[in-house]
């Protein structure tokens, strides 16, 4: 029985803290209103550290995230500030929506779809359609990817050409300041290279050339974003790199990375590796007075990041190529005339007939390696890579991968190992060039290797989000490596994107043809939107007895 002689108000803080430790957050939020001393004890950081780690199922070894100052503030953040409330559902696309991307200023986002349209939206509330284009007019089967340049005045859109077995695609660039005017179109093969901005003036595309049985070359092209010509001799593209592929593999999914200042200099292991875009100090001096060449200084140096493979055709490796300072011809070298080319061809034919000139043996890499560039660093993730993206500071690369079985064997590169339904998120540190961790498996995919498609993910300062084939988007806390929410759709979620200016806003797109805009509880209230329980995503903290939307109000109210 309770001792009626106990004065609960004057109990020592140590005793109160011991008693409070047996309660949960809902209880604490109530008893903290009893008096000022109980309120003070209820804010104890050790108490809230236990609540935080237990309720969000985080390892007890985890420390407070860098830059954070309070466990109670962290608990409130993961309730109040994660994008959990479905505030809008846009249904303008009439087919599967494949990708979403935000402008860097957070004012716009773009969506692409199997209906062949690209749509640009204003990210204000409510969202408003700004521009759209039907790319089927240009023989596109569908649009699959988009990316704003860093000044948000141009939009890169990639898509797939018509044809049931076509691997070819195209990249288009639209001017957002000139009524969505189409500025250029660039061939892109395979189409799932997607393309990417290299800087505000140039974009990267790909070309695949088969050299022999299961052996090919990937050429990475640098393309001028505005290809309106003042002269027929003006250069609009330049070959950047050429990579050698074996076992029917190829380079896909390009990312251009602006390195952090502390990034180390790579040294290629092959001294004979041609540096197609390398420029020495002497070259730079000569370039500065050559009107036919424009020299680009990449400081800090950039990285070219892509998926690739060596064991099988499925992309299972991350390749990284250091991009040195380079030069781009501004005037085309027209080369020999037609007569001279015919003479050169006939001479080569004669030399071959005499046995004085051998055709390249493309199946023997050692004999042709001087014609190709070397990948500076390779990470083998031992599974089918289905998505990747950079952290906002470009320090970390996050990768979606469906792992192969342990102790797998590959007898035929055209028949890779069976991939798991679970999706792992690998984290690669691009400063130290190490794989530094992986988030717990939470999301799933079901399609086999041959039908596997991209599940795009995005990263903000504090969170990682990804789509999944189990009809949900997923949200993780980066520092504590825990999944905190699931966001519902009625079909596969293909892509998610945080607003880079307001990461409390997230957009998800799905095969259900819908675009959903999710906002935090805090942001929802600021916009005057009523929070409806059926519009809430699923929180993955432990569900004990607590008042769902009022748990943290006691702290915000300041009552004592």
């Amino acid at each position: 029985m309770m001792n009626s002689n106990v004065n609960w108000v004057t109990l020592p803080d140590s005793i109160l803290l011991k008693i409070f430790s047996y309660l949960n957050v809902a209880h604490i939020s109530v008893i903290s209103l009893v008096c000022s001393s109980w309120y003070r004890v209820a804010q104890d950081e050790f108490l809230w550290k236990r609540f935080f780690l237990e309720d969000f199922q985080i390892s007890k070894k985890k420390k407070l995230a860098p830059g954070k100052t309070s466990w109670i503030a962290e608990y409130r953040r993961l309730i109040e500030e994660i994008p959990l409330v479905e505030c809008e559902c846009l249904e303008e696309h009439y087919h599967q929506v494949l990708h979403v991307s935000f402008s860097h200023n957070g004012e716009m986002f773009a969506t692409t779809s199997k209906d062949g349209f690209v749509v640009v939206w204003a990210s204000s509330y409510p969202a408003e359609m700004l521009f759209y284009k039907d790319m089927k007019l240009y023989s596109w089967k569908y649009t699959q990817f988009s990316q704003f340049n860093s000044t948000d005045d141009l939009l890169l859109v990639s898509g797939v050409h018509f044809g049931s077995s076509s691997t070819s695609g195209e990249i288009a660039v639209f001017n957002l300041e000139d009524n969505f005017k189409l500025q250029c179109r660039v061939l892109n093969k395979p189409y799932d290279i997607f393309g990417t901005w290299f800087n505000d003036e140039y974009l990267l595309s790909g070309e695949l050339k088969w050299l022999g049985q299961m052996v090919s070359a990937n050429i990475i092209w640098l393309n001028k974003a505005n290809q309106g010509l003042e002269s027929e001799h003006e250069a609009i593209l330049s070959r950047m790199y050429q990579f050698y592929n074996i076992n029917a593999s190829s380079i896909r999914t390009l990312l251009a990375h602006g390195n952090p200042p502390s990034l180390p200099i790579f040294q290629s292991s092959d001294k004979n590796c041609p540096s197609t875009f390398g420029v020495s100090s002497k070259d730079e001096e000569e370039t500065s007075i050559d009107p036919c060449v424009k020299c680009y200084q990449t400081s800090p140096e950039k990285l070219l990041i892509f998926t690739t493979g060596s064991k099988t055709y499925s992309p299972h490796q991350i390749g990284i190529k250091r991009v040195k300072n380079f030069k781009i011809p501004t005037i085309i070298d027209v080369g020999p005339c037609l007569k001279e080319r015919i003479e050169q061809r006939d001479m080569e034919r004669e030399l071959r007939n005499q046995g004085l000139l051998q055709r390249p043996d493309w199946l023997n890499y050692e004999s042709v390696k001087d014609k190709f560039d070397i990948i500076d660093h390779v990470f083998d993730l031992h599974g089918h890579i289905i998505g990747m993206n950079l952290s906002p500071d470009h320090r970390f690369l996050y990768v979606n991968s469906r792992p192969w079985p342990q102790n797998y064997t590959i007898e035929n590169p055209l028949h890779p190992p069976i991939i798991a339904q679970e999706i792992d998120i690998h984290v690669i540190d691009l400063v130290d060039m190490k794989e530094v961790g992986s988030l717990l498996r939470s999301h799933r995919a079901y399609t086999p290797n041959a039908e596997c498609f991209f599940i795009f993910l995005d990263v903000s300062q504090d969170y990682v989000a990804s789509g999944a084939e189990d009809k949900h988007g997923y949200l993780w806390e980066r520092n504590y490596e825990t999944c905190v929410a699931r966001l519902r759709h009625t079909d596969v979620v293909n892509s998610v994107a945080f607003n880079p200016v307001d990461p409390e806003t997230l957009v998800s797109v799905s095969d259900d043809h819908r675009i959903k805009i999710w906002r935090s509880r805090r942001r929802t209230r600021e916009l005057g939107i009523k929070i409806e329980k059926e519009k809430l995503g699923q929180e993955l903290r432990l569900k004990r007895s607590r008042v769902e939307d009022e748990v943290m109000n006691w702290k915000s109210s300041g009552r004592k």
Side-chain angles (χ1 to χ4, degrees), residues 202 224 227-238 291-293 328-337 341:
Y202 287 86
K224 194 172 181 181
Q227 297 188 2
L229 300 180
E230 297 178 0
S231 164
E232 69 272 19
H233 299 309
E234 180 181 345
I236 59 174
L237 80 162
S238 181
C292 297
V293 174
I328 302 172
T330 57
I331 297 179
I332 295 174
D333 179 5
V334 295
C337 65
R341 294 184 187 191

PDB file of all heavy atoms in Angstrom, residues 202 224 227-238 291-293 328-337 341:
ATOM      1  N   TYR A 202      27.556  22.293 -69.253  1.00  0.00           N
ATOM      2  CA  TYR A 202      27.782  21.010 -69.914  1.00  0.00           C
ATOM      3  C   TYR A 202      27.118  19.877 -69.137  1.00  0.00           C
ATOM      4  O   TYR A 202      27.021  19.906 -67.913  1.00  0.00           O
ATOM      5  CB  TYR A 202      29.283  20.728 -70.042  1.00  0.00           C
ATOM      6  CG  TYR A 202      29.956  21.571 -71.090  1.00  0.00           C
ATOM      7  CD1 TYR A 202      30.435  22.838 -70.778  1.00  0.00           C
ATOM      8  CD2 TYR A 202      30.119  21.104 -72.395  1.00  0.00           C
ATOM      9  CE1 TYR A 202      31.057  23.629 -71.737  1.00  0.00           C
ATOM     10  CE2 TYR A 202      30.737  21.882 -73.361  1.00  0.00           C
ATOM     11  CZ  TYR A 202      31.203  23.147 -73.027  1.00  0.00           C
ATOM     12  OH  TYR A 202      31.808  23.921 -73.984  1.00  0.00           O
ATOM     13  N   LYS A 224      27.575  20.270 -74.742  1.00  0.00           N
ATOM     14  CA  LYS A 224      27.179  21.641 -74.456  1.00  0.00           C
ATOM     15  C   LYS A 224      25.659  21.686 -74.282  1.00  0.00           C
ATOM     16  O   LYS A 224      24.908  21.116 -75.071  1.00  0.00           O
ATOM     17  CB  LYS A 224      27.614  22.559 -75.592  1.00  0.00           C
ATOM     18  CG  LYS A 224      27.562  24.029 -75.261  1.00  0.00           C
ATOM     19  CD  LYS A 224      28.194  24.852 -76.378  1.00  0.00           C
ATOM     20  CE  LYS A 224      28.159  26.338 -76.032  1.00  0.00           C
ATOM     21  NZ  LYS A 224      28.755  27.156 -77.120  1.00  0.00           N
ATOM     22  N   GLN A 227      22.976  24.092 -77.755  1.00  0.00           N
ATOM     23  CA  GLN A 227      23.660  23.702 -78.981  1.00  0.00           C
ATOM     24  C   GLN A 227      23.207  24.504 -80.195  1.00  0.00           C
ATOM     25  O   GLN A 227      23.298  24.058 -81.326  1.00  0.00           O
ATOM     26  CB  GLN A 227      23.480  22.196 -79.211  1.00  0.00           C
ATOM     27  CG  GLN A 227      24.103  21.375 -78.103  1.00  0.00           C
ATOM     28  CD  GLN A 227      24.121  19.893 -78.369  1.00  0.00           C
ATOM     29  OE1 GLN A 227      23.681  19.448 -79.431  1.00  0.00           O
ATOM     30  NE2 GLN A 227      24.635  19.119 -77.428  1.00  0.00           N
ATOM     31  N   GLY A 228      22.730  25.724 -79.930  1.00  0.00           N
ATOM     32  CA  GLY A 228      22.475  26.622 -81.041  1.00  0.00           C
ATOM     33  C   GLY A 228      23.795  27.085 -81.622  1.00  0.00           C
ATOM     34  O   GLY A 228      24.645  27.630 -80.910  1.00  0.00           O
ATOM     35  N   LEU A 229      24.008  26.867 -82.886  1.00  0.00           N
ATOM     36  CA  LEU A 229      25.325  27.086 -83.485  1.00  0.00           C
ATOM     37  C   LEU A 229      25.409  28.422 -84.211  1.00  0.00           C
ATOM     38  O   LEU A 229      24.524  28.793 -84.975  1.00  0.00           O
ATOM     39  CB  LEU A 229      25.654  25.962 -84.470  1.00  0.00           C
ATOM     40  CG  LEU A 229      25.691  24.543 -83.883  1.00  0.00           C
ATOM     41  CD1 LEU A 229      26.035  23.541 -84.964  1.00  0.00           C
ATOM     42  CD2 LEU A 229      26.698  24.472 -82.758  1.00  0.00           C
ATOM     43  N   GLU A 230      26.507  29.117 -83.931  1.00  0.00           N
ATOM     44  CA  GLU A 230      26.808  30.319 -84.717  1.00  0.00           C
ATOM     45  C   GLU A 230      27.673  29.955 -85.908  1.00  0.00           C
ATOM     46  O   GLU A 230      27.733  30.680 -86.886  1.00  0.00           O
ATOM     47  CB  GLU A 230      27.525  31.339 -83.837  1.00  0.00           C
ATOM     48  CG  GLU A 230      26.669  31.834 -82.675  1.00  0.00           C
ATOM     49  CD  GLU A 230      27.422  32.809 -81.800  1.00  0.00           C
ATOM     50  OE1 GLU A 230      28.602  33.074 -82.110  1.00  0.00           O
ATOM     51  OE2 GLU A 230      26.842  33.298 -80.819  1.00  0.00           O
ATOM     52  N   SER A 231      28.375  28.834 -85.815  1.00  0.00           N
ATOM     53  CA  SER A 231      29.242  28.381 -86.902  1.00  0.00           C
ATOM     54  C   SER A 231      29.157  26.873 -86.986  1.00  0.00           C
ATOM     55  O   SER A 231      29.022  26.186 -85.970  1.00  0.00           O
ATOM     56  CB  SER A 231      30.689  28.813 -86.641  1.00  0.00           C
ATOM     57  OG  SER A 231      31.583  28.089 -87.478  1.00  0.00           O
ATOM     58  N   GLU A 232      29.272  26.333 -88.188  1.00  0.00           N
ATOM     59  CA  GLU A 232      29.252  24.880 -88.340  1.00  0.00           C
ATOM     60  C   GLU A 232      30.495  24.232 -87.770  1.00  0.00           C
ATOM     61  O   GLU A 232      30.562  23.015 -87.619  1.00  0.00           O
ATOM     62  CB  GLU A 232      29.096  24.501 -89.825  1.00  0.00           C
ATOM     63  CG  GLU A 232      30.293  24.828 -90.693  1.00  0.00           C
ATOM     64  CD  GLU A 232      30.230  26.245 -91.253  1.00  0.00           C
ATOM     65  OE1 GLU A 232      29.479  27.078 -90.702  1.00  0.00           O
ATOM     66  OE2 GLU A 232      30.934  26.518 -92.254  1.00  0.00           O
ATOM     67  N   HIS A 233      31.489  25.040 -87.437  1.00  0.00           N
ATOM     68  CA  HIS A 233      32.723  24.514 -86.861  1.00  0.00           C
ATOM     69  C   HIS A 233      32.765  24.642 -85.331  1.00  0.00           C
ATOM     70  O   HIS A 233      33.767  24.309 -84.709  1.00  0.00           O
ATOM     71  CB  HIS A 233      33.942  25.223 -87.458  1.00  0.00           C
ATOM     72  CG  HIS A 233      34.066  25.044 -88.943  1.00  0.00           C
ATOM     73  ND1 HIS A 233      34.022  23.798 -89.549  1.00  0.00           N
ATOM     74  CD2 HIS A 233      34.224  25.945 -89.947  1.00  0.00           C
ATOM     75  CE1 HIS A 233      34.147  23.942 -90.866  1.00  0.00           C
ATOM     76  NE2 HIS A 233      34.269  25.237 -91.130  1.00  0.00           N
ATOM     77  N   GLU A 234      31.688  25.137 -84.731  1.00  0.00           N
ATOM     78  CA  GLU A 234      31.666  25.281 -83.274  1.00  0.00           C
ATOM     79  C   GLU A 234      31.485  23.916 -82.621  1.00  0.00           C
ATOM     80  O   GLU A 234      30.602  23.136 -82.982  1.00  0.00           O
ATOM     81  CB  GLU A 234      30.516  26.201 -82.865  1.00  0.00           C
ATOM     82  CG  GLU A 234      30.422  26.415 -81.362  1.00  0.00           C
ATOM     83  CD  GLU A 234      29.266  27.303 -80.978  1.00  0.00           C
ATOM     84  OE1 GLU A 234      28.715  27.984 -81.872  1.00  0.00           O
ATOM     85  OE2 GLU A 234      28.888  27.309 -79.791  1.00  0.00           O
ATOM     86  N   ALA A 235      32.343  23.605 -81.641  1.00  0.00           N
ATOM     87  CA  ALA A 235      32.295  22.299 -80.960  1.00  0.00           C
ATOM     88  C   ALA A 235      31.170  22.279 -79.938  1.00  0.00           C
ATOM     89  O   ALA A 235      31.043  23.197 -79.141  1.00  0.00           O
ATOM     90  CB  ALA A 235      33.625  22.024 -80.281  1.00  0.00           C
ATOM     91  N   ILE A 236      30.357  21.246 -79.984  1.00  0.00           N
ATOM     92  CA  ILE A 236      29.259  21.119 -79.018  1.00  0.00           C
ATOM     93  C   ILE A 236      29.409  19.880 -78.138  1.00  0.00           C
ATOM     94  O   ILE A 236      28.665  19.713 -77.188  1.00  0.00           O
ATOM     95  CB  ILE A 236      27.886  21.088 -79.721  1.00  0.00           C
ATOM     96  CG1 ILE A 236      27.808  19.928 -80.695  1.00  0.00           C
ATOM     97  CG2 ILE A 236      27.598  22.424 -80.395  1.00  0.00           C
ATOM     98  CD1 ILE A 236      26.440  19.742 -81.323  1.00  0.00           C
ATOM     99  N   LEU A 237      30.352  19.005 -78.435  1.00  0.00           N
ATOM    100  CA  LEU A 237      30.589  17.855 -77.576  1.00  0.00           C
ATOM    101  C   LEU A 237      32.036  17.410 -77.697  1.00  0.00           C
ATOM    102  O   LEU A 237      32.732  17.731 -78.667  1.00  0.00           O
ATOM    103  CB  LEU A 237      29.651  16.692 -77.900  1.00  0.00           C
ATOM    104  CG  LEU A 237      29.972  15.792 -79.095  1.00  0.00           C
ATOM    105  CD1 LEU A 237      29.208  14.481 -78.983  1.00  0.00           C
ATOM    106  CD2 LEU A 237      29.612  16.489 -80.403  1.00  0.00           C
ATOM    107  N   SER A 238      32.489  16.706 -76.681  1.00  0.00           N
ATOM    108  CA  SER A 238      33.853  16.209 -76.654  1.00  0.00           C
ATOM    109  C   SER A 238      33.872  14.895 -75.898  1.00  0.00           C
ATOM    110  O   SER A 238      33.149  14.729 -74.912  1.00  0.00           O
ATOM    111  CB  SER A 238      34.775  17.227 -75.970  1.00  0.00           C
ATOM    112  OG  SER A 238      36.110  16.752 -75.951  1.00  0.00           O
ATOM    113  N   PRO A 291      42.926  30.192 -78.891  1.00  0.00           N
ATOM    114  CA  PRO A 291      41.513  30.565 -79.030  1.00  0.00           C
ATOM    115  C   PRO A 291      40.612  29.388 -79.379  1.00  0.00           C
ATOM    116  O   PRO A 291      39.402  29.495 -79.322  1.00  0.00           O
ATOM    117  CB  PRO A 291      41.543  31.590 -80.170  1.00  0.00           C
ATOM    118  CG  PRO A 291      42.733  31.201 -80.995  1.00  0.00           C
ATOM    119  CD  PRO A 291      43.746  30.695 -80.011  1.00  0.00           C
ATOM    120  N   CYS A 292      41.191  28.249 -79.747  1.00  0.00           N
ATOM    121  CA  CYS A 292      40.386  27.093 -80.146  1.00  0.00           C
ATOM    122  C   CYS A 292      40.097  26.152 -78.991  1.00  0.00           C
ATOM    123  O   CYS A 292      39.439  25.139 -79.159  1.00  0.00           O
ATOM    124  CB  CYS A 292      41.107  26.317 -81.255  1.00  0.00           C
ATOM    125  SG  CYS A 292      41.340  27.276 -82.760  1.00  0.00           S
ATOM    126  N   VAL A 293      40.623  26.468 -77.794  1.00  0.00           N
ATOM    127  CA  VAL A 293      40.472  25.572 -76.660  1.00  0.00           C
ATOM    128  C   VAL A 293      40.033  26.362 -75.444  1.00  0.00           C
ATOM    129  O   VAL A 293      40.530  27.448 -75.175  1.00  0.00           O
ATOM    130  CB  VAL A 293      41.808  24.838 -76.362  1.00  0.00           C
ATOM    131  CG1 VAL A 293      41.681  24.005 -75.087  1.00  0.00           C
ATOM    132  CG2 VAL A 293      42.213  23.968 -77.523  1.00  0.00           C
ATOM    133  N   ILE A 328      38.491  21.695 -73.399  1.00  0.00           N
ATOM    134  CA  ILE A 328      37.445  21.362 -74.356  1.00  0.00           C
ATOM    135  C   ILE A 328      37.682  22.177 -75.619  1.00  0.00           C
ATOM    136  O   ILE A 328      37.829  23.399 -75.555  1.00  0.00           O
ATOM    137  CB  ILE A 328      36.049  21.706 -73.800  1.00  0.00           C
ATOM    138  CG1 ILE A 328      35.807  20.952 -72.488  1.00  0.00           C
ATOM    139  CG2 ILE A 328      34.969  21.353 -74.812  1.00  0.00           C
ATOM    140  CD1 ILE A 328      34.538  21.386 -71.803  1.00  0.00           C
ATOM    141  N   PRO A 329      37.737  21.534 -76.774  1.00  0.00           N
ATOM    142  CA  PRO A 329      37.885  22.314 -78.010  1.00  0.00           C
ATOM    143  C   PRO A 329      36.637  23.142 -78.259  1.00  0.00           C
ATOM    144  O   PRO A 329      35.521  22.650 -78.136  1.00  0.00           O
ATOM    145  CB  PRO A 329      38.079  21.245 -79.089  1.00  0.00           C
ATOM    146  CG  PRO A 329      37.463  20.007 -78.530  1.00  0.00           C
ATOM    147  CD  PRO A 329      37.663  20.093 -77.044  1.00  0.00           C
ATOM    148  N   THR A 330      36.814  24.408 -78.573  1.00  0.00           N
ATOM    149  CA  THR A 330      35.673  25.257 -78.903  1.00  0.00           C
ATOM    150  C   THR A 330      35.447  25.330 -80.412  1.00  0.00           C
ATOM    151  O   THR A 330      34.402  25.764 -80.861  1.00  0.00           O
ATOM    152  CB  THR A 330      35.883  26.679 -78.352  1.00  0.00           C
ATOM    153  OG1 THR A 330      37.097  27.213 -78.873  1.00  0.00           O
ATOM    154  CG2 THR A 330      35.960  26.655 -76.836  1.00  0.00           C
ATOM    155  N   ILE A 331      36.458  24.920 -81.175  1.00  0.00           N
ATOM    156  CA  ILE A 331      36.333  24.871 -82.627  1.00  0.00           C
ATOM    157  C   ILE A 331      36.691  23.471 -83.088  1.00  0.00           C
ATOM    158  O   ILE A 331      37.707  22.901 -82.673  1.00  0.00           O
ATOM    159  CB  ILE A 331      37.253  25.899 -83.320  1.00  0.00           C
ATOM    160  CG1 ILE A 331      36.832  27.317 -82.913  1.00  0.00           C
ATOM    161  CG2 ILE A 331      37.208  25.747 -84.835  1.00  0.00           C
ATOM    162  CD1 ILE A 331      37.684  28.401 -83.504  1.00  0.00           C
ATOM    163  N   ILE A 332      35.856  22.880 -83.903  1.00  0.00           N
ATOM    164  CA  ILE A 332      36.053  21.511 -84.350  1.00  0.00           C
ATOM    165  C   ILE A 332      37.238  21.433 -85.304  1.00  0.00           C
ATOM    166  O   ILE A 332      37.383  22.250 -86.225  1.00  0.00           O
ATOM    167  CB  ILE A 332      34.796  20.989 -85.065  1.00  0.00           C
ATOM    168  CG1 ILE A 332      33.632  20.911 -84.073  1.00  0.00           C
ATOM    169  CG2 ILE A 332      35.045  19.623 -85.689  1.00  0.00           C
ATOM    170  CD1 ILE A 332      32.331  20.534 -84.734  1.00  0.00           C
ATOM    171  N   ASP A 333      38.079  20.435 -85.066  1.00  0.00           N
ATOM    172  CA  ASP A 333      39.121  20.095 -86.028  1.00  0.00           C
ATOM    173  C   ASP A 333      38.458  19.244 -87.115  1.00  0.00           C
ATOM    174  O   ASP A 333      38.070  18.107 -86.871  1.00  0.00           O
ATOM    175  CB  ASP A 333      40.240  19.323 -85.328  1.00  0.00           C
ATOM    176  CG  ASP A 333      41.349  18.916 -86.297  1.00  0.00           C
ATOM    177  OD1 ASP A 333      41.285  19.316 -87.480  1.00  0.00           O
ATOM    178  OD2 ASP A 333      42.272  18.191 -85.863  1.00  0.00           O
ATOM    179  N   VAL A 334      38.302  19.804 -88.297  1.00  0.00           N
ATOM    180  CA  VAL A 334      37.525  19.124 -89.343  1.00  0.00           C
ATOM    181  C   VAL A 334      38.231  17.884 -89.865  1.00  0.00           C
ATOM    182  O   VAL A 334      37.598  17.014 -90.487  1.00  0.00           O
ATOM    183  CB  VAL A 334      37.222  20.089 -90.511  1.00  0.00           C
ATOM    184  CG1 VAL A 334      36.322  21.210 -90.047  1.00  0.00           C
ATOM    185  CG2 VAL A 334      38.509  20.643 -91.124  1.00  0.00           C
ATOM    186  N   GLY A 335      39.555  17.759 -89.619  1.00  0.00           N
ATOM    187  CA  GLY A 335      40.272  16.557 -90.006  1.00  0.00           C
ATOM    188  C   GLY A 335      40.468  16.449 -91.509  1.00  0.00           C
ATOM    189  O   GLY A 335      40.237  17.409 -92.267  1.00  0.00           O
ATOM    190  N   PRO A 336      40.871  15.255 -91.967  1.00  0.00           N
ATOM    191  CA  PRO A 336      41.143  15.082 -93.405  1.00  0.00           C
ATOM    192  C   PRO A 336      39.863  15.152 -94.233  1.00  0.00           C
ATOM    193  O   PRO A 336      38.772  14.860 -93.739  1.00  0.00           O
ATOM    194  CB  PRO A 336      41.780  13.690 -93.468  1.00  0.00           C
ATOM    195  CG  PRO A 336      41.294  12.983 -92.252  1.00  0.00           C
ATOM    196  CD  PRO A 336      41.145  14.026 -91.203  1.00  0.00           C
ATOM    197  N   CYS A 337      40.027  15.527 -95.490  1.00  0.00           N
ATOM    198  CA  CYS A 337      38.882  15.570 -96.393  1.00  0.00           C
ATOM    199  C   CYS A 337      38.509  14.151 -96.805  1.00  0.00           C
ATOM    200  O   CYS A 337      39.205  13.179 -96.472  1.00  0.00           O
ATOM    201  CB  CYS A 337      39.206  16.411 -97.625  1.00  0.00           C
ATOM    202  SG  CYS A 337      40.496  15.710 -98.672  1.00  0.00           S
ATOM    203  N   ARG A 341      40.589  10.542 -96.512  1.00  0.00           N
ATOM    204  CA  ARG A 341      40.099   9.434 -95.693  1.00  0.00           C
ATOM    205  C   ARG A 341      40.035   8.145 -96.499  1.00  0.00           C
ATOM    206  O   ARG A 341      40.339   7.061 -95.993  1.00  0.00           O
ATOM    207  CB  ARG A 341      38.727   9.779 -95.128  1.00  0.00           C
ATOM    208  CG  ARG A 341      38.743  10.936 -94.143  1.00  0.00           C
ATOM    209  CD  ARG A 341      37.399  11.179 -93.528  1.00  0.00           C
ATOM    210  NE  ARG A 341      37.408  12.394 -92.712  1.00  0.00           N
ATOM    211  CZ  ARG A 341      36.451  12.754 -91.884  1.00  0.00           C
ATOM    212  NH1 ARG A 341      35.376  11.982 -91.766  1.00  0.00           N
ATOM    213  NH2 ARG A 341      36.537  13.854 -91.179  1.00  0.00           N
TER     214      ARG A 341
END
